[in-house]
């Protein structure tokens, strides 16, 4: 985990304030926690970051096989009890949001896009690592 990942939690307060959002984090491309909301425990944020890195890697593999390659633009998983959304948030970073089951997925995706634009992709970007 990046030291003091909660210090920049202000970046995520707009998305965190959307009804039904339980957790919001920013992670690096290799699954390290960069920013978390104050409402998300560090161990939960670390597990979420690792899971999201795995999902992004899986999405990349699917895109390579069936699409035109590259990182997935967005990953969404519906599970009993809610949704997980992961999207790019600057070069080498991802914004991940976990929600309750009773939300509008389109609204969450839209709010995530607005959050990334408001913060500015440079603020969230991390150096890209070579594979």
């Amino acid at each position: 985990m990046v030291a003091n990942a909660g210090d920049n939690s202000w970046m995520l307060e707009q998305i965190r304030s959307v009804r039904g959002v339980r957790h919001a984090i920013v992670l690096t491309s290799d699954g390290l926690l960069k920013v978390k909301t104050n409402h998300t425990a560090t161990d939960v944020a670390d597990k979420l970051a690792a899971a999201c890195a795995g999902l992004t890697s899986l999405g990349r593999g699917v895109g390579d096989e069936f699409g035109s390659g590259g990182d997935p633009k967005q990953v969404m998983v519906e599970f009993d009890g809610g949704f997980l959304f992961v999207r790019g948030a600057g070069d080498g970073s991802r914004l991940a949001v976990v929600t309750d089951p009773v939300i509008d997925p389109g609204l969450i995706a839209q709010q995530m896009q607005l959050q990334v634009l408001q913060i500015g992709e440079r603020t969230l970007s991390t150096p890209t690592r070579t594979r």
Side-chain angles (χ1 to χ4, degrees):
M1 181 193 87
V2 175
N4 301 320
D7 289 352
N8 291 318
S9 65
W10 61 268
M11 292 182 189
L12 301 175
E13 284 309 310
Q14 183 174 348
I15 190 71
R16 173 62 179 92
S17 66
V18 174
R19 185 172 172 227
V21 170
R22 295 189 337 218
H23 305 290
I25 66 166
V26 176
L27 60 135
T28 64
S29 60
D30 54 357
L32 297 176
L33 180 62
K34 188 169 182 182
V35 180
K36 69 177 189 67
T37 62
N38 290 330
H39 299 90
T40 301
T42 300
D43 62 329
V44 170
D46 284 336
K47 289 176 189 176
L48 181 57
C52 291
L55 284 171
T56 300
S57 179
L58 179 63
R60 185 179 308 111
V62 171
D64 288 347
E65 183 66 29
F66 301 107
S68 52
D71 284 343
K73 293 179 183 4
Q74 181 170 297
V75 176
M76 184 184 95
V77 176
E78 181 178 8
F79 54 89
D80 284 340
F83 293 89
L84 167 64
F85 300 87
V86 184
R87 62 154 291 124
D91 189 26
S93 291
R94 304 271 179 261
L95 171 62
V97 175
V98 176
T99 71
D100 292 331
V102 185
I103 53 97
D104 176 358
L107 174 64
I108 297 298
Q110 180 183 24
Q111 289 297 322
M112 289 176 73
Q113 174 67 19
L114 290 172
Q115 185 74 66
V116 169
L117 291 173
Q118 184 179 32
I119 294 168
E121 293 194 4
R122 285 192 174 150
T123 304
L124 289 178
S125 67
T126 58
T128 303
R129 294 178 52 162
T130 57
R131 294 187 219 180

